[in-house]
Amino acid sequence: MRPLARTVPRTVRMRLTLLYGSLFTASGAALLAITYLLVRRNTVKVRVPCVGLEEKDCRGQLLDMPGIPDTADPIRTLAEQQHHALVREFVLQSGVALAIMLVVSLALGWLVAGRVLRPLRTMTTTVQRISARNVHERLAFAGPRDELKDLADTVDGLLGRLDAALDAQKRFVANAAHELRTPLTLERALLEETLTDRRPTLEAFRATFERILEISVQQGRLLESLLTLATSERGLESRVPVDLAEITERVLAARPETAAGGPRLYPRIAPATTAGDPALVERLVTNLVDNAMRYNVPGGSVDVATGTRDGQAVISVSNTGPVVPPEQVARLLEPFQRLDRSARDGGHHGLGLSIVHAIVLAHGGTLSALPRPGGGLVIRAAFPAFLVPSSIE
């Protein structure tokens, strides 16, 4: 016995054709059955021969069947035979007409299904032709606002998001390659300078190696940041209760003492529990505080606050610093973006806020960044609050 999946037609056009034909056959058969019942139940006038009557009294005598008197049994029998013959002829001719119309309906169903599915075939051909090289193309389906138009618009929206994601990926790879190539070039230059020195000294070798070691540390930081960014964008595999207040206190306690004239920290810590990855949340808090301290002004300040607001666990970090144009704020949340591209920032590569953004998205939270009127930023990360279930005594 053949499996059912192999006996079902595979093309949508064939399935629609059979569906149209089946519906027509069912409705035609129902109409024929209803008509047959009506014909059988209705009174039919039947012309019968004149028996025992004069010719002048037999001029188109009509009898109603079944309203014929019981005394006219031969006449009644003949009328019933004529009526049954008429019904059989009606059913036979109707069946032939239904069979003919079934064939016609299948042919029309095939044509109609093909016309209905023509836009879908066009969209399929276009989507099959689109690849990474021409993902900028769109279906641009022109037609009435129906299901096919909605499908085409949805596919166009998906292609637009893929196009933007591919462009962002290309920029990310290019920026990462540039950031990795720069220290490698510097390392090579230092080594070549040392090798070409005809009278090298121990101090020269030591200075070169210390410089190369410093560059290696910076490369390690970059690779670690890239790994954290990739881990955050992949999402969370498990979640545990995380207290933003506890992590923030630990991060602030581990920071070195601020030098004289440097920014001052002003913490306002309140309980704020969410569910997530403690290591990623700690990296988020560290990046926010480091970013606020680094991009600051002499004698500036950094305000760090945690708490629960509107059913969300929130951490807010604001700092004094250089004036940030409002149109540049969104760019700072992207990888390898800095307010001043000419500055090397002591080996930092502009990944801090992009890692923060990725971690917030991985936890299902929201990140907002607003420039302060006098300079600096106010960055607020909000996570879904985790409610600790109360014990039942």
Side-chain angles (χ1 to χ4, degrees), residues 50-99:
C50 300
V51 180
L53 298 176
E54 297 293 337
E55 183 177 357
K56 62 180 180 179
D57 297 328
C58 184
R59 294 181 179 179
Q61 182 180 4
L62 297 177
L63 298 178
D64 289 341
M65 198 284 295
I68 302 177
D70 294 338
T71 55
D73 290 339
I75 299 177
R76 180 183 180 88
T77 301
L78 181 60
E80 290 179 351
Q81 292 176 354
Q82 291 182 356
H83 179 65
H84 292 160
L86 180 62
V87 171
R88 284 196 301 269
E89 186 68 18
F90 168 77
V91 172
L92 178 61
Q93 293 181 2
S94 299
V96 173
L98 180 61

mmCIF file of all heavy atoms in Angstrom, residues 50-99:
data_model
loop_
_atom_site.group_PDB
_atom_site.id
_atom_site.type_symbol
_atom_site.label_atom_id
_atom_site.label_comp_id
_atom_site.label_asym_id
_atom_site.label_seq_id
_atom_site.Cartn_x
_atom_site.Cartn_y
_atom_site.Cartn_z
ATOM 1 N N CYS A 50 -58.427 7.830 -22.659
ATOM 2 C CA CYS A 50 -59.845 7.785 -22.297
ATOM 3 C C CYS A 50 -60.341 6.342 -22.365
ATOM 4 O O CYS A 50 -60.232 5.695 -23.401
ATOM 5 C CB CYS A 50 -60.688 8.650 -23.242
ATOM 6 S SG CYS A 50 -60.166 10.385 -23.210
ATOM 7 N N VAL A 51 -60.836 5.842 -21.267
ATOM 8 C CA VAL A 51 -61.342 4.472 -21.203
ATOM 9 C C VAL A 51 -62.836 4.523 -20.899
ATOM 10 O O VAL A 51 -63.241 5.027 -19.841
ATOM 11 C CB VAL A 51 -60.607 3.660 -20.116
ATOM 12 C CG1 VAL A 51 -61.148 2.238 -20.070
ATOM 13 C CG2 VAL A 51 -59.107 3.680 -20.381
ATOM 14 N N GLY A 52 -63.630 4.000 -21.827
ATOM 15 C CA GLY A 52 -65.086 3.945 -21.625
ATOM 16 C C GLY A 52 -65.742 5.289 -21.734
ATOM 17 O O GLY A 52 -66.834 5.457 -21.190
ATOM 18 N N LEU A 53 -65.150 6.240 -22.416
ATOM 19 C CA LEU A 53 -65.748 7.564 -22.561
ATOM 20 C C LEU A 53 -65.933 7.870 -24.026
ATOM 21 O O LEU A 53 -65.214 7.372 -24.898
ATOM 22 C CB LEU A 53 -64.852 8.631 -21.912
ATOM 23 C CG LEU A 53 -64.608 8.502 -20.394
ATOM 24 C CD1 LEU A 53 -63.630 9.559 -19.923
ATOM 25 C CD2 LEU A 53 -65.925 8.587 -19.635
ATOM 26 N N GLU A 54 -66.928 8.661 -24.298
ATOM 27 C CA GLU A 54 -67.143 9.108 -25.668
ATOM 28 C C GLU A 54 -66.024 10.062 -26.058
ATOM 29 O O GLU A 54 -65.377 10.691 -25.230
ATOM 30 C CB GLU A 54 -68.508 9.786 -25.785
ATOM 31 C CG GLU A 54 -69.687 8.861 -25.483
ATOM 32 C CD GLU A 54 -69.826 7.775 -26.539
ATOM 33 O OE1 GLU A 54 -69.327 7.978 -27.670
ATOM 34 O OE2 GLU A 54 -70.390 6.724 -26.201
ATOM 35 N N GLU A 55 -65.806 10.171 -27.389
ATOM 36 C CA GLU A 55 -64.716 11.025 -27.889
ATOM 37 C C GLU A 55 -64.925 12.469 -27.494
ATOM 38 O O GLU A 55 -63.979 13.194 -27.219
ATOM 39 C CB GLU A 55 -64.635 10.889 -29.415
ATOM 40 C CG GLU A 55 -63.462 11.691 -29.986
ATOM 41 C CD GLU A 55 -63.356 11.492 -31.481
ATOM 42 O OE1 GLU A 55 -64.134 10.702 -32.039
ATOM 43 O OE2 GLU A 55 -62.475 12.141 -32.069
ATOM 44 N N LYS A 56 -66.247 12.883 -27.468
ATOM 45 C CA LYS A 56 -66.500 14.281 -27.115
ATOM 46 C C LYS A 56 -66.173 14.573 -25.653
ATOM 47 O O LYS A 56 -65.936 15.713 -25.277
ATOM 48 C CB LYS A 56 -67.973 14.617 -27.385
ATOM 49 C CG LYS A 56 -68.932 13.791 -26.538
ATOM 50 C CD LYS A 56 -70.364 14.164 -26.834
ATOM 51 C CE LYS A 56 -71.344 13.346 -25.985
ATOM 52 N NZ LYS A 56 -72.759 13.734 -26.246
ATOM 53 N N ASP A 57 -66.201 13.471 -24.805
ATOM 54 C CA ASP A 57 -65.871 13.655 -23.383
ATOM 55 C C ASP A 57 -64.396 13.428 -23.096
ATOM 56 O O ASP A 57 -63.953 13.527 -21.957
ATOM 57 C CB ASP A 57 -66.698 12.707 -22.522
ATOM 58 C CG ASP A 57 -68.191 13.032 -22.650
ATOM 59 O OD1 ASP A 57 -68.508 14.235 -22.835
ATOM 60 O OD2 ASP A 57 -68.981 12.085 -22.529
ATOM 61 N N CYS A 58 -63.657 13.016 -24.151
ATOM 62 C CA CYS A 58 -62.236 12.696 -23.957
ATOM 63 C C CYS A 58 -61.390 13.693 -24.738
ATOM 64 O O CYS A 58 -60.903 13.392 -25.821
ATOM 65 C CB CYS A 58 -61.946 11.266 -24.390
ATOM 66 S SG CYS A 58 -60.211 10.781 -24.068
ATOM 67 N N ARG A 59 -61.295 14.857 -24.256
ATOM 68 C CA ARG A 59 -60.495 15.907 -24.906
ATOM 69 C C ARG A 59 -59.413 16.391 -23.917
ATOM 70 O O ARG A 59 -59.628 17.308 -23.143
ATOM 71 C CB ARG A 59 -61.373 17.069 -25.331
ATOM 72 C CG ARG A 59 -62.357 16.681 -26.433
ATOM 73 C CD ARG A 59 -63.187 17.879 -26.840
ATOM 74 N NE ARG A 59 -64.116 17.519 -27.897
ATOM 75 C CZ ARG A 59 -64.999 18.363 -28.444
ATOM 76 N NH1 ARG A 59 -65.060 19.635 -27.995
ATOM 77 N NH2 ARG A 59 -65.809 17.966 -29.405
ATOM 78 N N GLY A 60 -58.324 15.655 -23.998
ATOM 79 C CA GLY A 60 -57.203 16.058 -23.135
ATOM 80 C C GLY A 60 -57.504 15.910 -21.672
ATOM 81 O O GLY A 60 -57.317 16.850 -20.896
ATOM 82 N N GLN A 61 -58.086 14.718 -21.304
ATOM 83 C CA GLN A 61 -58.383 14.515 -19.900
ATOM 84 C C GLN A 61 -57.078 14.483 -19.094
ATOM 85 O O GLN A 61 -56.161 13.740 -19.409
ATOM 86 C CB GLN A 61 -59.147 13.208 -19.713
ATOM 87 C CG GLN A 61 -59.530 12.952 -18.252
ATOM 88 C CD GLN A 61 -60.299 11.643 -18.108
ATOM 89 O OE1 GLN A 61 -60.469 10.928 -19.076
ATOM 90 N NE2 GLN A 61 -60.752 11.352 -16.900
ATOM 91 N N LEU A 62 -56.985 15.311 -18.083
ATOM 92 C CA LEU A 62 -55.796 15.393 -17.220
ATOM 93 C C LEU A 62 -56.169 14.912 -15.836
ATOM 94 O O LEU A 62 -57.202 15.287 -15.294
ATOM 95 C CB LEU A 62 -55.259 16.832 -17.152
ATOM 96 C CG LEU A 62 -54.769 17.430 -18.473
ATOM 97 C CD1 LEU A 62 -54.336 18.864 -18.257
ATOM 98 C CD2 LEU A 62 -53.635 16.610 -19.054
ATOM 99 N N LEU A 63 -55.329 14.081 -15.303
ATOM 100 C CA LEU A 63 -55.529 13.581 -13.957
ATOM 101 C C LEU A 63 -54.365 14.025 -13.084
ATOM 102 O O LEU A 63 -53.211 14.047 -13.534
ATOM 103 C CB LEU A 63 -55.628 12.050 -13.960
ATOM 104 C CG LEU A 63 -56.793 11.456 -14.759
ATOM 105 C CD1 LEU A 63 -56.715 9.944 -14.706
ATOM 106 C CD2 LEU A 63 -58.132 11.951 -14.226
ATOM 107 N N ASP A 64 -54.692 14.384 -11.875
ATOM 108 C CA ASP A 64 -53.650 14.745 -10.923
ATOM 109 C C ASP A 64 -53.201 13.501 -10.179
ATOM 110 O O ASP A 64 -54.025 12.761 -9.651
ATOM 111 C CB ASP A 64 -54.164 15.777 -9.905
ATOM 112 C CG ASP A 64 -54.378 17.134 -10.556
ATOM 113 O OD1 ASP A 64 -53.783 17.319 -11.641
ATOM 114 O OD2 ASP A 64 -55.113 17.954 -9.992
ATOM 115 N N MET A 65 -51.966 13.274 -10.182
ATOM 116 C CA MET A 65 -51.375 12.158 -9.443
ATOM 117 C C MET A 65 -50.512 12.753 -8.334
ATOM 118 O O MET A 65 -49.704 13.653 -8.586
ATOM 119 C CB MET A 65 -50.544 11.311 -10.391
ATOM 120 C CG MET A 65 -50.210 9.884 -9.907
ATOM 121 S SD MET A 65 -48.918 9.814 -8.653
ATOM 122 C CE MET A 65 -47.548 10.389 -9.584
ATOM 123 N N PRO A 66 -50.717 12.347 -7.084
ATOM 124 C CA PRO A 66 -51.439 11.149 -6.648
ATOM 125 C C PRO A 66 -52.880 11.403 -6.277
ATOM 126 O O PRO A 66 -53.478 10.600 -5.551
ATOM 127 C CB PRO A 66 -50.643 10.711 -5.427
ATOM 128 C CG PRO A 66 -50.100 11.979 -4.864
ATOM 129 C CD PRO A 66 -49.862 12.893 -5.985
ATOM 130 N N GLY A 67 -53.499 12.491 -6.749
ATOM 131 C CA GLY A 67 -54.883 12.760 -6.390
ATOM 132 C C GLY A 67 -55.890 12.061 -7.266
ATOM 133 O O GLY A 67 -56.939 12.615 -7.578
ATOM 134 N N ILE A 68 -55.567 10.887 -7.764
ATOM 135 C CA ILE A 68 -56.477 10.119 -8.619
ATOM 136 C C ILE A 68 -57.341 9.237 -7.736
ATOM 137 O O ILE A 68 -56.842 8.618 -6.792
ATOM 138 C CB ILE A 68 -55.695 9.272 -9.620
ATOM 139 C CG1 ILE A 68 -54.802 10.192 -10.487
ATOM 140 C CG2 ILE A 68 -56.607 8.462 -10.491
ATOM 141 C CD1 ILE A 68 -53.936 9.419 -11.446
ATOM 142 N N PRO A 69 -58.660 9.163 -8.014
ATOM 143 C CA PRO A 69 -59.529 8.309 -7.179
ATOM 144 C C PRO A 69 -59.066 6.870 -7.174
ATOM 145 O O PRO A 69 -58.476 6.374 -8.137
ATOM 146 C CB PRO A 69 -60.903 8.456 -7.829
ATOM 147 C CG PRO A 69 -60.825 9.724 -8.601
ATOM 148 C CD PRO A 69 -59.425 9.860 -9.067
ATOM 149 N N ASP A 70 -59.334 6.214 -6.071
ATOM 150 C CA ASP A 70 -58.913 4.818 -5.962
ATOM 151 C C ASP A 70 -59.622 3.903 -6.936
ATOM 152 O O ASP A 70 -59.153 2.813 -7.237
ATOM 153 C CB ASP A 70 -59.178 4.314 -4.529
ATOM 154 C CG ASP A 70 -58.298 5.045 -3.533
ATOM 155 O OD1 ASP A 70 -57.245 5.594 -3.972
ATOM 156 O OD2 ASP A 70 -58.651 5.071 -2.344
ATOM 157 N N THR A 71 -60.792 4.361 -7.454
ATOM 158 C CA THR A 71 -61.538 3.505 -8.370
ATOM 159 C C THR A 71 -60.887 3.411 -9.722
ATOM 160 O O THR A 71 -61.153 2.489 -10.479
ATOM 161 C CB THR A 71 -62.971 4.066 -8.544
ATOM 162 O OG1 THR A 71 -62.868 5.431 -8.973
ATOM 163 C CG2 THR A 71 -63.727 4.013 -7.229
ATOM 164 N N ALA A 72 -59.997 4.349 -10.036
ATOM 165 C CA ALA A 72 -59.330 4.338 -11.350
ATOM 166 C C ALA A 72 -57.965 3.708 -11.201
ATOM 167 O O ALA A 72 -56.946 4.353 -11.428
ATOM 168 C CB ALA A 72 -59.243 5.745 -11.915
ATOM 169 N N ASP A 73 -57.915 2.444 -10.757
ATOM 170 C CA ASP A 73 -56.626 1.779 -10.530
ATOM 171 C C ASP A 73 -55.781 1.664 -11.794
ATOM 172 O O ASP A 73 -54.581 1.950 -11.753
ATOM 173 C CB ASP A 73 -56.862 0.393 -9.930
ATOM 174 C CG ASP A 73 -57.384 0.483 -8.501
ATOM 175 O OD1 ASP A 73 -57.182 1.555 -7.867
ATOM 176 O OD2 ASP A 73 -57.958 -0.503 -8.034
ATOM 177 N N PRO A 74 -56.338 1.227 -12.935
ATOM 178 C CA PRO A 74 -55.488 1.157 -14.145
ATOM 179 C C PRO A 74 -54.961 2.522 -14.538
ATOM 180 O O PRO A 74 -53.799 2.661 -14.922
ATOM 181 C CB PRO A 74 -56.424 0.566 -15.191
ATOM 182 C CG PRO A 74 -57.461 -0.160 -14.413
ATOM 183 C CD PRO A 74 -57.678 0.664 -13.187
ATOM 184 N N ILE A 75 -55.804 3.517 -14.440
ATOM 185 C CA ILE A 75 -55.364 4.868 -14.816
ATOM 186 C C ILE A 75 -54.303 5.353 -13.833
ATOM 187 O O ILE A 75 -53.311 5.964 -14.218
ATOM 188 C CB ILE A 75 -56.563 5.817 -14.846
ATOM 189 C CG1 ILE A 75 -57.575 5.331 -15.885
ATOM 190 C CG2 ILE A 75 -56.126 7.237 -15.139
ATOM 191 C CD1 ILE A 75 -58.839 6.162 -15.944
ATOM 192 N N ARG A 76 -54.537 5.059 -12.540
ATOM 193 C CA ARG A 76 -53.555 5.479 -11.523
ATOM 194 C C ARG A 76 -52.210 4.802 -11.746
ATOM 195 O O ARG A 76 -51.139 5.448 -11.650
ATOM 196 C CB ARG A 76 -54.095 5.145 -10.137
ATOM 197 C CG ARG A 76 -53.146 5.535 -9.002
ATOM 198 C CD ARG A 76 -53.729 5.095 -7.678
ATOM 199 N NE ARG A 76 -52.840 5.449 -6.604
ATOM 200 C CZ ARG A 76 -52.849 6.621 -5.970
ATOM 201 N NH1 ARG A 76 -53.733 7.545 -6.349
ATOM 202 N NH2 ARG A 76 -52.006 6.874 -4.995
ATOM 203 N N THR A 77 -52.234 3.515 -12.065
ATOM 204 C CA THR A 77 -50.987 2.783 -12.299
ATOM 205 C C THR A 77 -50.231 3.353 -13.482
ATOM 206 O O THR A 77 -49.008 3.539 -13.456
ATOM 207 C CB THR A 77 -51.289 1.295 -12.520
ATOM 208 O OG1 THR A 77 -51.957 0.779 -11.365
ATOM 209 C CG2 THR A 77 -50.007 0.514 -12.736
ATOM 210 N N LEU A 78 -50.958 3.646 -14.558
ATOM 211 C CA LEU A 78 -50.327 4.212 -15.743
ATOM 212 C C LEU A 78 -49.738 5.590 -15.441
ATOM 213 O O LEU A 78 -48.629 5.921 -15.882
ATOM 214 C CB LEU A 78 -51.359 4.303 -16.880
ATOM 215 C CG LEU A 78 -50.836 4.863 -18.224
ATOM 216 C CD1 LEU A 78 -49.709 3.994 -18.752
ATOM 217 C CD2 LEU A 78 -51.967 4.947 -19.242
ATOM 218 N N ALA A 79 -50.448 6.383 -14.652
ATOM 219 C CA ALA A 79 -49.942 7.713 -14.300
ATOM 220 C C ALA A 79 -48.688 7.622 -13.450
ATOM 221 O O ALA A 79 -47.728 8.383 -13.629
ATOM 222 C CB ALA A 79 -51.024 8.486 -13.559
ATOM 223 N N GLU A 80 -48.690 6.656 -12.518
ATOM 224 C CA GLU A 80 -47.495 6.488 -11.700
ATOM 225 C C GLU A 80 -46.305 6.049 -12.541
ATOM 226 O O GLU A 80 -45.166 6.506 -12.325
ATOM 227 C CB GLU A 80 -47.761 5.473 -10.596
ATOM 228 C CG GLU A 80 -48.711 5.973 -9.518
ATOM 229 C CD GLU A 80 -48.969 4.921 -8.454
ATOM 230 O OE1 GLU A 80 -48.543 3.761 -8.671
ATOM 231 O OE2 GLU A 80 -49.578 5.252 -7.424
ATOM 232 N N GLN A 81 -46.515 5.152 -13.508
ATOM 233 C CA GLN A 81 -45.425 4.699 -14.376
ATOM 234 C C GLN A 81 -44.856 5.853 -15.192
ATOM 235 O O GLN A 81 -43.639 5.989 -15.336
ATOM 236 C CB GLN A 81 -45.925 3.574 -15.284
ATOM 237 C CG GLN A 81 -46.255 2.286 -14.544
ATOM 238 C CD GLN A 81 -46.836 1.225 -15.463
ATOM 239 O OE1 GLN A 81 -47.099 1.489 -16.654
ATOM 240 N NE2 GLN A 81 -47.053 0.031 -14.930
ATOM 241 N N GLN A 82 -45.783 6.690 -15.731
ATOM 242 C CA GLN A 82 -45.302 7.844 -16.497
ATOM 243 C C GLN A 82 -44.520 8.810 -15.606
ATOM 244 O O GLN A 82 -43.493 9.365 -16.014
ATOM 245 C CB GLN A 82 -46.486 8.561 -17.148
ATOM 246 C CG GLN A 82 -47.141 7.768 -18.268
ATOM 247 C CD GLN A 82 -48.273 8.544 -18.912
ATOM 248 O OE1 GLN A 82 -48.620 9.639 -18.477
ATOM 249 N NE2 GLN A 82 -48.853 7.959 -19.947
ATOM 250 N N HIS A 83 -45.023 9.008 -14.385
ATOM 251 C CA HIS A 83 -44.338 9.918 -13.472
ATOM 252 C C HIS A 83 -42.951 9.383 -13.098
ATOM 253 O O HIS A 83 -41.948 10.133 -13.100
ATOM 254 C CB HIS A 83 -45.190 10.106 -12.221
ATOM 255 C CG HIS A 83 -44.539 11.013 -11.199
ATOM 256 N ND1 HIS A 83 -44.298 12.348 -11.432
ATOM 257 C CD2 HIS A 83 -44.073 10.756 -9.935
ATOM 258 C CE1 HIS A 83 -43.732 12.888 -10.377
ATOM 259 N NE2 HIS A 83 -43.585 11.931 -9.440
ATOM 260 N N HIS A 84 -42.823 8.102 -12.786
ATOM 261 C CA HIS A 84 -41.536 7.517 -12.440
ATOM 262 C C HIS A 84 -40.579 7.553 -13.628
ATOM 263 O O HIS A 84 -39.365 7.785 -13.451
ATOM 264 C CB HIS A 84 -41.730 6.082 -11.960
ATOM 265 C CG HIS A 84 -42.441 5.999 -10.638
ATOM 266 N ND1 HIS A 84 -43.080 4.843 -10.213
ATOM 267 C CD2 HIS A 84 -42.652 6.911 -9.657
ATOM 268 C CE1 HIS A 84 -43.633 5.053 -9.031
ATOM 269 N NE2 HIS A 84 -43.382 6.332 -8.674
ATOM 270 N N ALA A 85 -41.101 7.302 -14.818
ATOM 271 C CA ALA A 85 -40.254 7.378 -16.006
ATOM 272 C C ALA A 85 -39.729 8.797 -16.207
ATOM 273 O O ALA A 85 -38.561 9.008 -16.580
ATOM 274 C CB ALA A 85 -41.034 6.908 -17.230
ATOM 275 N N LEU A 86 -40.600 9.773 -15.961
ATOM 276 C CA LEU A 86 -40.180 11.167 -16.085
ATOM 277 C C LEU A 86 -39.086 11.498 -15.061
ATOM 278 O O LEU A 86 -38.097 12.173 -15.393
ATOM 279 C CB LEU A 86 -41.385 12.075 -15.888
ATOM 280 C CG LEU A 86 -41.117 13.596 -15.976
ATOM 281 C CD1 LEU A 86 -40.611 13.970 -17.353
ATOM 282 C CD2 LEU A 86 -42.384 14.369 -15.637
ATOM 283 N N VAL A 87 -39.240 11.016 -13.828
ATOM 284 C CA VAL A 87 -38.236 11.286 -12.801
ATOM 285 C C VAL A 87 -36.908 10.620 -13.156
ATOM 286 O O VAL A 87 -35.835 11.212 -13.016
ATOM 287 C CB VAL A 87 -38.742 10.820 -11.426
ATOM 288 C CG1 VAL A 87 -37.630 10.898 -10.376
ATOM 289 C CG2 VAL A 87 -39.927 11.655 -10.981
ATOM 290 N N ARG A 88 -36.965 9.352 -13.630
ATOM 291 C CA ARG A 88 -35.728 8.660 -14.004
ATOM 292 C C ARG A 88 -35.028 9.380 -15.145
ATOM 293 O O ARG A 88 -33.803 9.529 -15.147
ATOM 294 C CB ARG A 88 -36.047 7.209 -14.400
ATOM 295 C CG ARG A 88 -36.342 6.296 -13.214
ATOM 296 C CD ARG A 88 -36.266 4.832 -13.632
ATOM 297 N NE ARG A 88 -37.219 4.550 -14.699
ATOM 298 C CZ ARG A 88 -38.477 4.139 -14.516
ATOM 299 N NH1 ARG A 88 -38.928 3.989 -13.264
ATOM 300 N NH2 ARG A 88 -39.263 3.883 -15.539
ATOM 301 N N GLU A 89 -35.791 9.835 -16.118
ATOM 302 C CA GLU A 89 -35.193 10.565 -17.237
ATOM 303 C C GLU A 89 -34.552 11.870 -16.754
ATOM 304 O O GLU A 89 -33.464 12.252 -17.207
ATOM 305 C CB GLU A 89 -36.269 10.855 -18.295
ATOM 306 C CG GLU A 89 -35.744 11.492 -19.573
ATOM 307 C CD GLU A 89 -34.872 10.546 -20.372
ATOM 308 O OE1 GLU A 89 -34.948 9.317 -20.138
ATOM 309 O OE2 GLU A 89 -34.089 11.032 -21.217
ATOM 310 N N PHE A 90 -35.219 12.505 -15.819
ATOM 311 C CA PHE A 90 -34.682 13.751 -15.269
ATOM 312 C C PHE A 90 -33.363 13.498 -14.523
ATOM 313 O O PHE A 90 -32.381 14.231 -14.695
ATOM 314 C CB PHE A 90 -35.717 14.386 -14.331
ATOM 315 C CG PHE A 90 -35.172 15.497 -13.495
ATOM 316 C CD1 PHE A 90 -34.955 16.755 -14.042
ATOM 317 C CD2 PHE A 90 -34.863 15.283 -12.160
ATOM 318 C CE1 PHE A 90 -34.437 17.768 -13.265
ATOM 319 C CE2 PHE A 90 -34.354 16.298 -11.382
ATOM 320 C CZ PHE A 90 -34.144 17.556 -11.934
ATOM 321 N N VAL A 91 -33.340 12.441 -13.703
ATOM 322 C CA VAL A 91 -32.133 12.121 -12.960
ATOM 323 C C VAL A 91 -30.992 11.741 -13.898
ATOM 324 O O VAL A 91 -29.841 12.159 -13.722
ATOM 325 C CB VAL A 91 -32.418 11.004 -11.945
ATOM 326 C CG1 VAL A 91 -31.123 10.520 -11.280
ATOM 327 C CG2 VAL A 91 -33.402 11.473 -10.885
ATOM 328 N N LEU A 92 -31.304 10.938 -14.938
ATOM 329 C CA LEU A 92 -30.271 10.514 -15.883
ATOM 330 C C LEU A 92 -29.670 11.708 -16.611
ATOM 331 O O LEU A 92 -28.441 11.858 -16.708
ATOM 332 C CB LEU A 92 -30.863 9.507 -16.878
ATOM 333 C CG LEU A 92 -29.902 8.998 -17.963
ATOM 334 C CD1 LEU A 92 -28.721 8.283 -17.318
ATOM 335 C CD2 LEU A 92 -30.633 8.082 -18.932
ATOM 336 N N GLN A 93 -30.507 12.574 -17.131
ATOM 337 C CA GLN A 93 -30.013 13.728 -17.869
ATOM 338 C C GLN A 93 -29.273 14.695 -16.944
ATOM 339 O O GLN A 93 -28.257 15.292 -17.330
ATOM 340 C CB GLN A 93 -31.175 14.438 -18.556
ATOM 341 C CG GLN A 93 -31.822 13.612 -19.665
ATOM 342 C CD GLN A 93 -32.956 14.348 -20.345
ATOM 343 O OE1 GLN A 93 -33.248 15.495 -20.017
ATOM 344 N NE2 GLN A 93 -33.614 13.674 -21.279
ATOM 345 N N SER A 94 -29.770 14.837 -15.708
ATOM 346 C CA SER A 94 -29.071 15.706 -14.761
ATOM 347 C C SER A 94 -27.698 15.145 -14.405
ATOM 348 O O SER A 94 -26.727 15.892 -14.250
ATOM 349 C CB SER A 94 -29.903 15.880 -13.496
ATOM 350 O OG SER A 94 -31.155 16.484 -13.792
ATOM 351 N N GLY A 95 -27.605 13.811 -14.256
ATOM 352 C CA GLY A 95 -26.314 13.201 -13.969
ATOM 353 C C GLY A 95 -25.320 13.404 -15.090
ATOM 354 O O GLY A 95 -24.138 13.683 -14.855
ATOM 355 N N VAL A 96 -25.815 13.255 -16.360
ATOM 356 C CA VAL A 96 -24.925 13.501 -17.499
ATOM 357 C C VAL A 96 -24.465 14.958 -17.508
ATOM 358 O O VAL A 96 -23.277 15.268 -17.735
ATOM 359 C CB VAL A 96 -25.646 13.131 -18.812
ATOM 360 C CG1 VAL A 96 -24.795 13.534 -20.016
ATOM 361 C CG2 VAL A 96 -25.937 11.636 -18.847
ATOM 362 N N ALA A 97 -25.393 15.872 -17.249
ATOM 363 C CA ALA A 97 -25.035 17.292 -17.216
ATOM 364 C C ALA A 97 -24.039 17.578 -16.092
ATOM 365 O O ALA A 97 -23.096 18.361 -16.254
ATOM 366 C CB ALA A 97 -26.291 18.148 -17.044
ATOM 367 N N LEU A 98 -24.222 16.916 -14.918
ATOM 368 C CA LEU A 98 -23.303 17.113 -13.807
ATOM 369 C C LEU A 98 -21.905 16.604 -14.150
ATOM 370 O O LEU A 98 -20.899 17.248 -13.830
ATOM 371 C CB LEU A 98 -23.835 16.404 -12.570
ATOM 372 C CG LEU A 98 -22.972 16.507 -11.303
ATOM 373 C CD1 LEU A 98 -22.824 17.969 -10.882
ATOM 374 C CD2 LEU A 98 -23.578 15.680 -10.174
ATOM 375 N N ALA A 99 -21.824 15.446 -14.854
ATOM 376 C CA ALA A 99 -20.520 14.915 -15.251
ATOM 377 C C ALA A 99 -19.820 15.851 -16.234
ATOM 378 O O ALA A 99 -18.607 16.082 -16.143
ATOM 379 C CB ALA A 99 -20.693 13.520 -15.855
#
